[in-house]
Amino acid sequence: MSIAKSSQADRADYNFAYLDEQTKRMVRRALLKAVAIPGYQVPFGSREMPLARGWGTGGIQITAALLGPTDVLKVIDQGADDTTNAVSIRRFFERVASVKTTTATGDATIIQTRHRIPEQPLQTGQIIVYQVPQPEPLRGLEPREEETRKMHAWAEYGLMQVRLYEEITRYGQAATTYAYPVLVNNRYVMSPTPIPKFDNPKMDMMPALQLFGAGREKRIYAVPPYTSVKSLDFDDHPFTIQQWEKPCALCGSRSSYLDEVVVDDRGGRMFICSDTDYCGGNVTDVASEEASA
Amino acid sequence: MLDVAYVAGFSDPGAASQMVFRLLLDGMASPGSILTIPDLGGVHPPALDYATAGIILAIADPETPVWFSDAFRTDVVSKWLRFHSGAPAAAEPSEGTFAVTRGTDADGVLGRFAIGDDRYPDRSATVLVSCASLAGGDPVVLTGPGIPAPRTVAPSALRDGFWKEAKANHARFPLGVDLIFVSGASFFCLPRSTNISAEGAF
Amino acid sequence: MYVAVKGGEAAISATHDLVAEERRGDTSVPELDVSQIREQMKLACARVMNEGSLYDPDLAALALKQSQGDVVEAAFLLRAFRTTLTRFGSTEPVDTGAMHIRRRISATYKDLPGGQILGPTYDYTHRLFDFDLVERTDELPKARTVPAAVDVAMPRVPDILGADGLMEAETAPAGDPRPFDITRDPVEFPADRPVRLQAMARGDEGFLLGLGYSVQRGFGGNHPFAGELRMGEASLHFTPPELDFPIDIGDVTLTECQMINQFAGSKDAPPQFTRGYGFAFGHAERRTMAMALVDRALKARELGEEAKHPAQQEEFVLYHCDNVEASGFVEHLKLPHYVDFQGELELLRKIRGDLERRLRPAPSAEAAE
């Protein structure tokens, strides 16, 4: 059959990093505008990808537009390099871009992430690419894009403040624990993506470039390095982050975001770092200290 | 003799575009930092700075009209643009997704370019400003996103009142154009988000 | 004892093997040939081509085989392939008036120029099993009429009405600009009709059907007539940049539906009929009828009607009709969310703890830990 033959040929014909050059240029132009207007959502002609919508297609398109032969890519989901989706995306880029990959935060030039910012502070020259399910921080308050566009245009964010205040009066604290809205460069309210609010302070004046891709919703936005990113709060109710009573059961860290792991069916549980690279590094450090002691 | 308009723009267009784009992204993310495009092979019209030619080839295409100031609008440049990028030449400054002008050109006044609208501030021009040098001019101090500590730039030569135009551009944020100052193979970026201050330059 | 979740790569590879095994099923049963699917599952292939936005019956059949007949998965395969294809240009507009008709009916006229052509349809079958199909039969069915295209002029029904001025005129905007392309640029709202029609042309048939049905039941408030439904083959013409005349690049099977709806008129416009339009690759009547109903409902804004029902709200329809996007996002809930869940868990414990402490009588200092 003729299609059997042509599909063989097509596989070899996929472009470097999957996207065709014209699509990459379109994504690149959107990225440059996004960096020039921090926190503003640039519409872009998001393409279908061989991975499903909602599974990181926005982040993947940005990463594909960024990647070059000297890049080193790290992919994490929930802070971990070995979660299924992180593995799948990493394999995708190994396959279509022959890119070098790593799990070490410090070695990566590009980090694609879903739901976390690594614990190890990012450096100048690094780029973190967030996967974004819903780029519009106001969507929960107003379902219509036509309206939310206007709210951003006029910096009309009163509704958001009211929502947060209602949470505080009802629960004594802001009840938003992830995707906690931020104000970027004192102008645009932006969704930090569903990272825990624990990670929000890392975004403020971060030395690395932060890029955000929403494939299904067809939006790209960015926070340049050294840019003010403030979590929305009130003078009498300042923004706070999650804290744990116990340290990580594996590495002993008291400063990282912990996952709760159920260990038996009698209510037993333990807490461990969600950032596997960070946790592994701490464990190795402790082991080598003990060995040298 | 080879016609400059039709010989290779980049020797490896995919890889070269990626490299130029990453420099540009670094530049936009770090306003005022001077970056240099390495030799990527290919030939460009001598009237254009090497950096201008590289940037246009890397990110312009049939979807992005390019406007040239009178000083650059030659037959060779138009043919080169069309042949290598497929980008149409914009007749009016307000139609250009990209604009190429010299810092001294009177027809390149910043107020003539698209600045986007309230709902879509991204629908604005990126203006490449060709300078004799990226140093030696009146110093201005940059602050804002991407700038950890105030940064000084001093491109030369610019028309009188250029920094006033640039300051007015920033004042319209989030509307406005984004500037790329080029000289030879080097460039630095000045996105609309950057605040400009100086003594004497205005 | 906690066992770290490692070995993701090996587990993922194993799922690929397992799905291949599942797809093949019982190996004592002969394997399906892609051409069998293309020829004998034509309507499924048509749906995949529509929702996959690519006219390629062979690839649609392959997609169905690869996805075990999951139409949404098959459409996704086709879309992900389509997006990598180089664009050579656009064809000339298809003239459906010049189609080679295999089926054409109108519910508004008993007879009309060109006549009613029933063609291949399930409309008049009784939904009783034909148990003869259980066994393979190599006997060819006998068509009692010539199956070839009917070769007479068949004007489109709305055009007949339009000649009397009873039908709203549909004229291209000044200069006949190139329509917005939703596969290249992100949609913005309010969305014009070309954008809406494109989105629906690749929209989920079930979603469109439900919305179209809601219009009929009163959540949309316009009374539709099936003005015309036609199916057949049309030639595609393409003008290459280096030639200045169009060349015929082949035939495609198409279905087109034009719904006729009442319109009460307004201050500025006399009462007249308005139209809803549906168009699809292959033989796809239900799909084009549903699309035509929703198209008409979405004209509410232009016609000054109140848009209070789901089928009249373009953001609602356009953002949610794409099943590749919808299934991706619904199914992404299978991805780990434990970081966010941890945040919620921690908050809930904290709020409950605060509440308990408030409700409990204050313990004495000695009793405190």
Side-chain angles (χ1 to χ4, degrees):
Chain A
M1 254 196 76
S2 64
I3 55 166
K5 246 168 79 190
S6 71
S7 68
Q8 289 282 330
D10 287 332
R11 205 167 304 153
D13 281 344
Y14 280 124
N15 198 21
F16 178 81
Y18 181 78
L19 296 176
D20 58 280
E21 290 300 317
Q22 192 173 352
T23 296
K24 285 185 197 166
R25 274 194 298 272
M26 178 270 298
V27 174
R28 287 168 179 165
R29 289 193 296 262
L31 284 168
L32 292 171
K33 286 297 170 193
V35 171
I37 318 168
Y40 163 76
Q41 301 166 46
V42 181
F44 82 112
S46 175
R47 304 291 195 250
E48 276 93 2
M49 300 298 288
L51 282 83
R53 291 292 199 216
W55 298 58
T57 57
I60 293 169
Q61 287 179 80
I62 291 182
T63 300
L66 291 174
L67 278 179
T70 57
D71 278 309
V72 180
L73 178 69
K74 172 182 165 81
V75 184
I76 51 171
D77 183 357
Q78 315 293 301
D81 298 273
D82 55 8
T83 35
T84 47
N85 202 45
V87 170
S88 172
I89 292 171
R90 190 165 56 240
R91 278 173 51 148
F92 175 71
F93 283 115
E94 281 167 354
R95 188 166 154 188
V96 299
S98 315
V99 69
K100 208 173 144 207
T101 60
T102 183
T103 58
T105 300
D107 294 345
T109 55
I110 299 171
I111 300 169
Q112 179 165 332
T113 180
R114 176 170 173 266
H115 294 195
R116 278 309 311 276
I117 297 174
E119 306 292 2
Q120 179 181 329
L122 302 184
Q123 302 302 321
T124 300
Q126 287 185 302
I127 301 177
I128 180 166
V129 179
Y130 298 77
Q131 299 172 201
V132 186
Q134 175 50 263
E136 182 48 74
L138 305 168
R139 187 64 70 232
L141 305 166
E142 168 53 64
R144 285 165 301 178
E145 168 72 8
E146 213 178 328
E147 295 304 314
T148 51
R149 277 259 139 200
K150 286 183 207 156
M151 291 158 81
H152 285 295
W154 303 326
E156 221 173 62
Y157 297 128
L159 216 53
M160 185 59 107
Q161 295 283 357
V162 169
R163 213 267 300 270
L164 283 174
Y165 205 81
E166 278 172 359
E167 287 181 5
I168 290 167
T169 33
R170 186 152 174 213
Y171 302 110
Q173 57 195 298
T176 304
T177 59
Y178 59 91
Y180 190 103
V182 294
L183 183 67
V184 177
N185 188 30
N186 222 18
R187 174 59 180 80
Y188 283 103
V189 166
M190 181 188 97
S191 169
T193 82
I195 56 170
K197 65 177 182 173
F198 178 90
D199 285 340
N200 276 23
K202 296 176 187 166
M203 298 181 109
D204 185 36
M205 303 306 276
M206 184 192 277
L209 172 61
Q210 306 177 67
L211 303 175
F212 303 80
R216 192 178 40 81
E217 297 283 338
K218 303 171 181 63
R219 298 287 184 274
I220 281 173
Y221 54 101
V223 177
Y226 306 106
T227 299
S228 149
V229 178
K230 296 285 169 235
S231 302
L232 299 183
D233 65 356
F234 301 93
D235 290 342
D236 51 344
H237 280 277
F239 174 78
T240 56
I241 61 172
Q242 289 101 338
Q243 286 175 329
W244 282 262
E245 287 164 10
K246 291 180 179 155
C248 168
L250 297 178
C251 75
S253 170
R254 287 192 170 275
S255 59
S256 75
Y257 191 85
L258 302 181
D259 283 336
E260 181 171 337
V261 180
V262 177
V263 289
D264 55 39
D265 54 6
R266 298 181 303 279
R269 52 176 72 96
M270 65 193 285
F271 291 88
I272 56 166
C273 291
S274 105
D275 184 335
T276 47
D277 173 57
Y278 177 77
C279 190
N282 287 346
V283 171
T284 318
D285 290 350
V286 170
S288 55
E289 271 168 35
E290 281 169 0
S292 63
Chain B
M1 193 189 127
L2 277 176
D3 189 335
V4 171
Y6 299 120
V7 293
F10 280 145
S11 50
D12 179 356
S17 296
Q18 187 271 342
M19 176 175 275
V20 173
F21 162 69
R22 282 291 285 279
L23 286 171
L24 210 45
L25 186 66
D26 283 350
M28 277 293 174
S30 182
S33 293
I34 294 175
L35 298 161
T36 301
I37 299 177
D39 185 2
L40 297 167
V43 181
H44 67 280
L48 296 179
D49 289 276
Y50 178 72
T52 299
I55 289 167
I56 294 291
L57 290 184
I59 55 173
D61 63 23
E63 291 167 20
T64 57
V66 180
W67 180 84
F68 289 98
S69 68
D70 286 341
F72 290 117
R73 201 178 307 118
T74 64
D75 193 40
V76 172
V77 168
S78 303
K79 274 201 283 192
W80 170 85
L81 176 72
R82 190 82 215 165
F83 182 76
H84 287 290
S85 69
E92 295 297 323
S94 60
E95 292 165 5
T97 305
F98 297 100
V100 181
T101 170
R102 292 186 309 197
T104 48
D105 289 341
D107 58 346
V109 171
L110 299 184
R112 303 180 75 193
F113 303 110
I115 58 167
D117 65 60
D118 288 341
R119 291 161 66 237
Y120 297 98
D122 56 304
R123 295 180 183 173
S124 51
T126 301
V127 183
L128 286 80
V129 181
S130 172
C131 304
S133 165
L134 296 182
D138 293 332
V140 292
V141 179
L142 311 180
T143 52
I147 309 173
R151 195 172 276 156
T152 303
V153 292
S156 65
L158 299 171
R159 61 181 166 266
D160 288 347
F162 182 94
W163 290 116
K164 210 173 259 178
E165 294 168 34
K167 213 171 154 61
N169 179 59
H170 167 73
R172 279 190 293 249
F173 185 89
L175 303 183
V177 300
D178 303 306
L179 303 171
I180 304 173
F181 292 80
V182 294
S183 184
S186 297
F187 70 93
F188 72 83
C189 297
L190 195 68
R192 70 193 77 178
S193 60
T194 303
N195 195 17
I196 306 156
S197 60
E199 281 169 40
F202 297 99
Chain C
M1 185 61 213
Y2 171 67
V3 182
V5 192
K6 291 274 180 192
E9 305 238 2
I12 288 176
S13 294
T15 67
H16 296 164
D17 297 341
L18 285 170
V19 80
E21 196 181 308
E22 194 69 19
R23 176 192 302 131
R24 181 59 183 86
D26 183 349
T27 49
S28 67
V29 176
E31 186 178 342
L32 268 175
D33 191 278
V34 171
S35 59
Q36 290 175 319
I37 300 173
R38 184 193 64 217
E39 293 304 314
Q40 296 170 42
M41 293 282 141
K42 239 178 229 160
L43 300 185
C45 290
R47 182 162 176 193
V48 172
M49 291 195 297
N50 281 307
E51 292 167 10
S53 272
L54 181 69
Y55 192 93
D56 191 327
D58 287 318
L59 284 179
L62 174 61
L64 279 167
K65 178 176 177 178
Q66 191 176 328
S67 64
Q68 300 176 62
D70 180 338
V71 175
V72 178
E73 182 68 28
F76 182 13
L77 280 167
L78 210 54
R79 288 258 194 111
F81 176 74
R82 173 197 197 278
T83 195
T84 67
L85 298 176
T86 308
R87 293 204 156 205
F88 297 108
S90 305
T91 61
E92 304 293 319
V94 174
D95 180 6
T96 52
M99 259 165 81
H100 293 278
I101 297 287
R102 282 195 287 137
R103 173 163 163 78
R104 186 260 202 142
I105 54 158
S106 169
T108 52
Y109 290 103
K110 186 172 184 184
D111 200 5
L112 65 167
Q116 309 252 15
I117 312 292
L118 297 188
T121 173
Y122 285 95
D123 286 355
Y124 320 109
T125 63
H126 297 139
R127 269 63 175 207
L128 301 172
F129 275 119
D130 179 356
F131 288 105
D132 291 346
L133 290 175
V134 173
E135 296 300 320
R136 282 174 77 132
T137 159
D138 292 325
E139 221 175 286
L140 285 174
K142 298 182 286 280
R144 263 169 267 173
T145 55
V146 186
V150 182
D151 194 19
V152 289
M154 291 206 201
R156 289 169 297 201
V157 169
D159 298 342
I160 301 172
L161 281 168
D164 296 337
L166 292 173
M167 173 58 77
E168 73 171 317
E170 284 188 340
T171 43
D176 196 8
R178 216 184 146 74
F180 186 90
D181 183 345
I182 65 163
T183 68
R184 310 299 286 179
D185 294 305
V187 170
E188 62 177 272
F189 294 95
D192 291 337
R193 192 155 175 245
V195 172
R196 305 192 307 243
L197 289 171
Q198 284 173 56
M200 287 192 286
R202 51 164 39 193
D204 182 75
E205 181 170 321
F207 183 84
L208 293 173
L209 179 66
L211 279 178
Y213 179 46
S214 75
V215 170
Q216 283 180 287
R217 285 196 67 260
F219 288 79
N222 57 68
H223 191 278
F225 296 97
E228 190 193 71
L229 191 63
R230 57 170 62 205
M231 182 275 289
E233 276 68 39
S235 304
L236 292 183
H237 295 93
F238 177 67
T239 309
E242 55 271 31
L243 300 177
D244 52 2
F245 54 88
I247 53 172
D248 188 332
I249 56 169
D251 289 355
V252 290
T253 304
L254 300 172
T255 306
E256 180 185 59
C257 172
Q258 305 234 29
M259 287 282 178
I260 300 174
N261 301 265
Q262 293 162 348
F263 172 56
S266 66
K267 285 201 309 290
D268 315 310
Q272 59 179 346
F273 290 119
T274 54
R275 69 178 112 191
Y277 187 75
F279 183 84
F281 290 147
H283 191 180
E285 297 184 16
R286 185 188 309 117
R287 170 180 197 88
T288 50
M289 293 179 78
M291 176 175 166
L293 290 172
V294 182
D295 172 46
R296 171 58 187 83
L298 287 174
K299 282 183 171 176
R301 178 165 50 83
E302 286 98 330
L303 293 170
E305 297 168 337
E306 194 188 351
K308 55 183 174 184
H309 301 297
Q312 296 171 314
Q313 291 167 6
E314 53 195 41
E315 285 207 32
F316 181 81
V317 176
L318 267 54
Y319 269 133
H320 304 113
C321 71
D322 190 308
N323 60 18
V324 173
E325 295 189 348
S327 72
F329 199 52
V330 166
E331 296 197 42
H332 107 284
L333 294 173
K334 290 181 279 191
L335 289 177
H337 283 78
Y338 41 74
V339 164
D340 299 344
F341 185 71
Q342 187 61 40
E344 297 283 276
L345 204 59
E346 196 253 2
L347 176 75
L348 209 61
R349 284 192 185 124
K350 196 153 173 272
I351 293 173
R352 286 173 67 100
D354 288 351
L355 195 69
E356 257 171 53
R357 270 189 293 281
R358 273 213 308 281
L359 297 179
R360 229 178 4 214
S364 63
E366 293 82 41
E369 287 180 61

